[in-house]
Amino acid sequence: MINWRMMRYRLEYLVFQTLVCVVRSLPLRESVKLAKGLAFVIHRCLPRKMTRYHVAAENLRTAFGEELSDREIDETIYQMWTHLFRMIVEIIQLPRKLHRGNIFDVLDFDYPPELITALCSGRPVILLSGHYGNWEIAVSVFGLFGFPMGVVARELDNPYLNKWFAQFRQHTGHRAMAKSGGYDDMVATIERRGHLALLGDQDAGKRGLFVNFFGKPASTFKSIALLALEYRAYICVGYARRLPDDFEQNQWIKFEMGCEELIDATKCVSKDPVGELTQQFTSSLEKAIRKSPEQYFWVHRRWKSQPRVREKKKRQAEPIAEKRAA
């Protein structure tokens, strides 16, 4: 009996490997043109329902309100797709283009000296980012500098693609960890005073902790703050955003790798430490995204879940309204 799902996975992997071969053979400028062309097809040619255009537009209006016109929102979404395809191109090129000898040619660093102290302190560090900039570049650089980490990511449905990306993340010395079912691995790494790298900007469901993100409550995973508090870990809110192209001066793409904030969980004295830490790293991530909003993946339904307190207040308000009417 033919397993059609596995056939589809193999076909997807064949298409992806074809793209890998094409990208590796192209000069830098031509690979950038390829990414822009694919973005144009996604944004201008495919049905908007298929590309989640309305989700992205709604998220941008939620985040920026009247700061952006409809035209600016449309342009931001187009630039978002351009960024995403450029990121895929950069991931494919990265093993050949980035090494210890040219790190400072590719990256401009913006981080406090305390970050290096934290990484060498013997205490665990949680490198936290979001679907912003080229987060894979940031993780790779830590590996090249000799700071191996457990890289937490959602497993892809396609096992062939999942294996490819796992091997990519491990090529600089990291260890790939599954986001789903990998909590024990995360705890074991932290207990050994190791470091973790993960993304913390997706909707955590109704059981998540609601903190403000661009001024609106967003369900956020509280496990990050809980780990930091229990194991006295630092939280480094970092990013690697692409800088404007200068193909005449640079041999490859140029990035700014920054630490928006280094949070020491041991210095949190709030009555609600989990809430304070979660709000702190979420606000820091928002601040980083505002630097280059077109490099954030707006198609995620970040504000999908609503705080339960609203439903509770609504239920309480209904009997009161009925009594007044009577």
Side-chain angles (χ1 to χ4, degrees):
M1 184 175 178
I2 299 176
N3 188 329
W4 292 107
R5 178 177 295 181
M6 292 306 297
M7 288 288 289
R8 189 192 77 192
Y9 289 156
R10 291 190 181 100
L11 179 60
E12 289 173 349
Y13 187 64
L14 176 62
V15 173
F16 177 75
Q17 282 290 13
T18 302
L19 177 63
V20 169
C21 293
V22 170
V23 168
R24 285 178 176 171
S25 65
L26 287 176
L28 175 59
R29 297 190 189 195
E30 299 305 317
S31 66
V32 171
K33 289 179 182 179
L34 173 63
K36 290 181 177 179
L38 292 172
F40 180 86
V41 171
I42 290 287
H43 187 63
R44 302 297 183 192
C45 302
L46 295 183
R48 289 187 167 181
K49 185 176 181 180
M50 183 183 297
T51 62
R52 296 170 67 89
Y53 179 93
H54 298 294
V55 174
E58 181 183 354
N59 284 341
L60 282 163
R61 291 189 183 97
T62 298
F64 295 99
E66 297 181 356
E67 293 181 41
L68 298 179
S69 65
D70 289 346
R71 182 176 181 181
E72 289 171 324
I73 286 175
D74 183 76
E75 179 63 21
T76 300
I77 295 173
Y78 170 63
Q79 293 297 333
M80 176 198 73
W81 285 113
T82 301
H83 161 70
L84 179 64
F85 283 111
R86 289 196 63 174
M87 180 181 168
I88 294 172
V89 167
E90 290 155 6
I91 290 173
I92 294 171
Q93 296 174 339
L94 187 143
R96 298 183 180 183
K97 295 291 188 178
L98 181 65
H99 47 80
R100 290 182 183 177
N102 71 345
I103 285 179
F104 293 99
D105 295 327
V106 175
L107 295 156
D108 288 340
F109 290 91
D110 182 15
Y111 61 88
E114 292 79 14
L115 175 58
I116 304 301
T117 303
L119 288 165
C120 299
S121 66
R123 289 168 54 188
V125 175
I126 299 174
L127 177 64
L128 181 69
S129 189
H131 292 82
Y132 170 64
N134 194 323
W135 56 89
E136 300 287 0
I137 290 279
V139 171
S140 296
V141 170
F142 278 93
L144 292 173
F145 275 135
F147 295 107
M149 299 187 174
V151 181
V152 183
R154 186 184 74 83
E155 288 189 314
L156 301 177
D157 295 333
N158 187 315
Y160 304 106
L161 289 175
N162 188 69
K163 182 179 179 180
W164 191 94
F165 278 96
Q167 291 175 341
F168 165 79
R169 292 176 180 128
Q170 293 173 162
H171 86 278
T172 54
H174 299 304
R175 181 185 172 205
M177 296 182 180
K179 182 177 180 180
S180 177
Y183 188 76
D184 290 342
D185 281 345
M186 294 169 60
V187 171
T189 300
I190 290 287
E191 286 179 339
R192 294 194 302 267
R193 298 182 181 180
H195 307 318
L196 291 176
L198 50 86
L199 305 180
D201 65 330
Q202 287 187 294
D203 179 82
K206 293 183 178 180
R207 294 184 179 181
L209 184 63
F210 286 87
V211 296
N212 285 332
F213 184 57
F214 284 91
K216 183 176 180 179
S219 178
T220 308
F221 291 100
K222 53 189 174 184
S223 55
I224 299 167
L226 289 169
L227 281 173
L229 288 165
E230 183 174 356
Y231 296 100
R232 303 177 68 251
Y234 290 95
I235 301 176
C236 170
V237 183
Y239 62 89
R241 68 186 183 104
R242 188 182 304 103
L243 297 175
D245 293 322
D246 186 352
F247 298 127
E248 300 298 329
Q249 298 294 326
N250 303 323
Q251 295 183 352
W252 197 44
I253 315 299
K254 192 81 172 181
F255 297 90
E256 177 189 79
M257 184 168 171
C259 171
E260 194 61 48
E261 186 174 10
L262 181 65
I263 304 170
D264 187 346
T266 64
K267 295 182 178 180
C268 182
V269 294
S270 170
K271 293 181 180 180
D272 178 19
V274 175
E276 180 173 314
L277 288 177
T278 304
Q279 181 63 74
Q280 195 171 353
F281 71 66
T282 301
S283 297
S284 296
L285 182 58
E286 175 188 328
K287 188 177 178 181
I289 293 169
R290 286 183 178 275
K291 296 177 180 179
S292 298
E294 75 283 355
Q295 294 188 35
Y296 186 62
F297 203 38
W298 293 101
V299 296
H300 286 150
R301 296 187 65 187
R302 185 64 184 94
W303 293 278
K304 177 181 178 181
S305 301
Q306 297 297 315
R308 291 183 178 181
V309 66
R310 293 184 179 180
E311 297 178 1
K312 184 177 180 181
K313 287 182 177 180
K314 184 178 180 180
R315 288 195 298 268
Q316 291 175 344
E318 288 175 353
I320 295 173
E322 290 175 0
K323 288 180 181 180
R324 290 177 177 176

